[in-house]
Amino acid sequence: KNLIIDAATNKIFFKIIIDDKSYTSGYPNSRENFDKFVILLFKFLKENKIEIHEINNVFVNQGPGKFSGIRASISIVKALKFNNKLNLYGFNSEHIKHQNYDNIINLFNKGLLIKNLIIPQY
């Protein structure tokens, strides 16, 4: 089970990919939503009947993009990683073409994303 988080653009985007199924949700990239980022994430997981401990890999957009969104999402996934033993991978904004987040999984499957290496690009 894979979770993709992207807050580098004008939306906070969550996507879960489980085998051949996927679930997505988006929220405006605003100060108000940064303050409740974790609440939005857990609401998304609950709506899709997924527990955080069921997630194997988390992919987070490390930029370039909006400073606040990148900072908030990276901080939260790092905290979740330590508490839930998740594999954490960073990807770049240029890896996504036309909101096609499936490319992130393709890069992961090819071994092109480095585990636990997050380098923010603001």
Side-chain angles (χ1 to χ4, degrees):
K1 294 181 181 177
N2 299 298
L3 171 64
I4 298 172
I5 299 175
D6 185 356
T9 63
N10 59 353
K11 285 194 123 183
I12 297 170
F13 180 82
F14 301 126
K15 181 170 187 166
I16 295 173
I17 300 173
I18 304 168
D19 299 321
D20 60 344
K21 298 177 193 170
S22 67
Y23 309 94
T24 61
S25 187
Y27 303 91
N29 193 337
S30 66
R31 169 72 184 188
E32 178 184 327
N33 284 338
F34 292 141
D35 292 344
K36 57 182 183 177
F37 195 99
V38 173
I39 294 168
L40 295 173
L41 176 59
F42 278 93
K43 178 183 171 192
F44 170 67
L45 294 172
K46 185 177 180 179
E47 288 171 352
N48 293 291
K49 298 176 177 72
I50 305 278
E51 297 288 329
I52 191 68
H53 67 271
E54 295 177 282
I55 302 291
N56 302 102
N57 303 306
V58 178
F59 303 90
V60 63
N61 190 339
Q62 58 192 5
K66 293 189 175 203
F67 174 81
S68 297
I70 294 168
R71 185 184 63 197
S73 59
I74 289 174
S75 297
I76 289 165
V77 297
K78 281 186 174 183
L80 290 173
K81 174 197 175 303
F82 289 115
N83 288 329
N84 298 284
K85 298 180 179 148
L86 304 169
N87 298 315
L88 179 58
Y89 298 89
F91 65 91
N92 298 330
S93 294
E94 62 259 8
H95 292 144
I96 306 161
K97 303 269 193 261
H98 310 292
Q99 299 290 58
N100 182 6
Y101 288 89
D102 294 334
N103 188 45
I104 302 307
I105 302 303
N106 292 336
L107 292 170
F108 169 71
N109 289 335
K110 291 177 182 176
L112 297 175
L113 299 178
I114 300 171
K115 183 178 174 181
N116 298 326
L117 179 64
I118 305 295
I119 303 171
Q121 300 173 12
Y122 302 111

